[in-house]
Amino acid sequence: MTEVSSLTGRLLVATPALADPNFDRAVVLLIDHDDAGSLGVVLNRPTAVGVDQILAPWAELAGAPGVVFRGGPVSMDSALGVAVVPGADPMGWRRVHGAIGLVDLDAPPELLAAALGSLRIFAGYAGWGPGQLEDELTDGAWYVVESEPGDVSSPEPEGLWRAVLRRQRSGLAMIATYPDDPSLN
């Protein structure tokens, strides 16, 4: 297999043509991307389940709205913590890209409390095998854009798809106005 240029830390923004209901208007933060495959979390799928219901020790550190997010269709019984740490790397946190990183949810929350700028808990993840994401990119299923630390803790996660597209300095900004149901135009 040829070497894959890493997209780790970037966002996958679902195109309107993406037919998979798991990813309709999804914004995925890629946590790992290499020739072995890709792993990410969907940033804009909050659930009604409070963090206090499944990971009570982390509930105080979770940013608003304080709920678990559906990270993707794979391993919904597992949890990932993604956080922004503006300073030095604390124990129990692994930098992914810029100030964004993964939290070791087995670590004591007190270990990270002072360092975390924001925390989101995700049930499950989105995963792609070797070459699978590249095929989807070639087929036009995703736009690839730069992430910003605020994407992880967006106060309006349901509007993140439009917000990420709107901030692009290209024709992608126009896609943000794409109607939910184009047949109603």
Side-chain angles (χ1 to χ4, degrees):
M1 177 174 208
T2 60
E3 184 178 329
V4 174
S5 175
S6 181
L7 298 176
T8 297
R10 296 183 79 189
L11 298 178
L12 299 177
V13 180
T15 67
L18 183 59
D20 185 338
N22 288 305
F23 298 109
D24 181 45
R25 296 197 178 213
V27 177
V28 178
L29 172 66
L30 281 175
I31 294 172
D32 284 313
H33 176 254
D34 57 28
D35 59 2
S38 305
L39 180 139
V41 290
V42 179
L43 297 177
N44 58 333
R45 297 283 195 273
T47 69
V49 178
V51 173
D52 60 339
Q53 293 177 272
I54 63 160
L55 287 170
W58 291 98
E60 261 187 52
L61 298 176
V67 298
V68 175
F69 282 66
R70 187 172 187 269
V74 182
S75 292
M76 291 292 294
D77 58 344
S78 65
L80 291 171
V82 177
V84 173
V85 173
D89 299 1
M91 285 190 67
W93 182 78
R94 177 178 67 89
R95 186 175 305 279
V96 170
H97 178 76
I100 302 168
L102 286 173
V103 173
D104 177 357
L105 296 173
D106 291 327
E110 309 80 51
L111 190 64
L112 292 137
L116 292 183
S118 63
L119 169 68
R120 285 266 162 91
I121 304 295
F122 297 89
Y125 62 91
W128 294 265
Q132 186 180 4
L133 177 57
E134 290 73 17
D135 290 345
E136 290 182 17
L137 292 171
T138 300
D139 291 344
W142 301 99
Y143 303 120
V144 179
V145 301
E146 295 299 323
S147 64
E148 294 181 2
D151 296 333
V152 171
S153 59
S154 172
E156 295 181 23
E158 295 89 347
L160 192 59
W161 185 83
R162 289 187 194 282
V164 168
L165 288 171
R166 197 174 297 121
R167 74 177 184 227
Q168 302 309 307
R169 296 177 186 249
S170 65
L172 287 182
M174 290 294 294
I175 302 295
T177 64
Y178 196 85
D180 292 335
D181 186 353
S183 67
L184 297 177
N185 273 347

